[in-house]
Amino acid sequence: MRLYAILACLILSACNSSGDSATATPISPQPDQAVAVQFALKAGGQTAECNTTLPALGSRATSAKLRDARLYVHDIKLINALGQEVPLALTQNASQYLNVAMLDFENKTGNCVGSSALNQQVTGTAPSGQYVGLSFKVGAPDTAKDAAGKEVILNHSDTMAVPSPLDIMALGWSWQAGRRFVQLELNPDVPAVNGKTVNWFFHLGATGCKADAVNANLFSCSNPNILPLRFASFDVAKQRVVLDLASLLQGVDLSQDAGGAMGCMSGPTDPECAQIFNNLDLNLNESAAGKKDAGLPKGDGNFSKVFKVELK
């Protein structure tokens, strides 16, 4: 009798074991989480915006007013605790297309000449999880894949044939047939020339570009001038990325032009560009003959002096 009882218990145990696996609650995949990465434009400790005077910029501490401040960023990724970079799938809207977003810090008031709309954030979704860092690149990439996996030409595409924000004519770069990755323009507080307010420009973009012999939309550029940035410690809920004009223009004389374009338009021989590219940690020209690193970053983007993280 006791043996029957033991066998019954074993049978019941096996049945229960089988039943547990059959009735176990499946683990539901976690939905993607919405992410908004905030950006800001500052000059030292002061927020840089239209209608305000930015004090003490450059080597001669020249005050200036903002005229334009727009830039493209792409390949925005969140970094998890293992150091793995997870792409942020950008929300597609007027400021974001495929993996590219345009940041706009001016609103066409005061001395500003851009558009009335501001955009100081990049939005998208990422797999559920905890993230501790952030990486992205300044500039517009040559290509990106669309939802169907088709490669789409971006930087050197026709501004009349692509969606916003790559369709902005003012950010087209006619002399290089691409986009101005950064369009930062100031009115320094200096005497007018021939009765006209002095405009000071910083335009960053790929240079040395040549069209493909077969496909006119394909270009190769000797100086890509794409700037990578990486913040190993970044709390997207509490912090934001700041582009600091004071650091960007450190050592640059805004009160007069030393040659080339007024300011810096990424020209390899422009005197102002040497200092600005050094501040950005970009090679304006080859670091040594034959290195072929012109227009490439000097580092991996972990130690930028110009882009910083601060609390919102």
Side-chain angles (χ1 to χ4, degrees):
M1 187 65 184
R2 184 179 180 187
L3 176 62
Y4 288 133
I6 292 173
L7 289 173
C9 286
L10 289 173
I11 292 171
L12 285 172
S13 176
C15 290
N16 284 340
S17 175
S18 174
D20 285 348
S21 62
T23 59
T25 303
I27 299 175
S28 301
Q30 295 296 309
D32 287 348
Q33 61 190 62
V35 175
V37 182
Q38 301 288 329
F39 291 81
L41 181 69
K42 301 184 78 171
Q46 177 179 325
T47 299
E49 54 192 359
C50 306
N51 294 306
T52 61
T53 298
L54 310 176
L57 293 174
S59 61
R60 292 183 179 272
T62 306
S63 59
K65 286 187 169 58
L66 197 65
R67 187 173 188 270
D68 204 346
R70 289 177 280 184
L71 65 149
Y72 289 111
V73 296
H74 69 279
D75 279 358
I76 297 97
K77 298 176 181 176
L78 303 176
I79 302 172
N80 63 23
L82 299 176
Q84 298 166 327
E85 296 186 342
V86 180
L88 182 66
L90 300 191
T91 304
Q92 301 296 283
N93 55 37
S95 298
Q96 303 180 166
Y97 174 59
L98 298 182
N99 68 337
V100 184
M102 187 196 68
L103 299 171
D104 189 340
F105 298 102
E106 58 74 41
N107 61 0
K108 206 177 180 178
T109 61
N111 290 29
C112 294
V113 297
S115 61
S116 58
L118 294 165
N119 183 50
Q120 301 179 7
Q121 67 176 7
V122 175
T123 60
T125 58
S128 179
Q130 291 188 325
Y131 298 99
V132 299
L134 173 74
S135 71
F136 64 93
K137 297 172 183 172
V138 175
D142 288 336
T143 61
K145 291 186 183 298
D146 65 13
K150 179 183 176 183
E151 199 159 70
V152 179
I153 296 173
L154 297 179
N155 183 29
H156 291 96
S157 57
D158 183 350
T159 55
M160 302 291 286
V162 290
S164 179
L166 292 168
D167 63 342
I168 300 172
M169 297 290 288
L171 297 181
W173 212 6
S174 58
W175 73 287
Q176 294 291 340
R179 300 297 191 287
R180 295 171 183 169
F181 301 159
V182 177
Q183 179 155 291
L184 170 65
E185 300 180 0
L186 301 170
N187 292 130
D189 186 13
V190 297
V193 176
N194 297 324
K196 294 183 179 178
T197 301
V198 173
N199 298 326
W200 192 96
F201 307 98
F202 172 53
H203 295 166
L204 178 67
T207 61
C209 301
K210 296 180 180 178
D212 184 87
V214 177
N215 187 340
N217 285 324
L218 290 178
F219 281 72
S220 60
C221 301
S222 62
N223 297 39
N225 290 336
I226 295 285
L227 179 66
L229 293 157
R230 193 174 194 277
F231 303 101
S233 178
F234 180 78
D235 186 339
V236 69
K238 300 178 180 177
Q239 295 179 306
R240 61 182 179 179
V241 179
V242 175
L243 166 53
D244 181 13
L245 297 181
S247 298
L248 174 68
L249 301 173
Q250 186 175 21
V252 179
D253 186 357
L254 298 181
S255 68
Q256 57 184 343
D257 190 66
M262 185 67 185
C264 166
M265 295 189 181
S266 303
T269 60
D270 191 311
E272 281 81 11
C273 288
Q275 182 63 49
I276 293 178
F277 272 62
N278 187 57
N279 293 341
L280 286 171
D281 218 22
L282 269 177
N283 285 309
L284 178 62
N285 296 295
E286 285 186 323
S287 58
K291 290 281 286 186
K292 298 187 183 302
D293 56 0
L296 297 180
K298 297 178 182 178
D300 57 8
N302 273 293
F303 304 103
S304 176
K305 296 184 296 184
V306 175
F307 287 85
K308 306 171 182 178
V309 169
E310 70 171 22
L311 291 173
K312 295 178 181 177

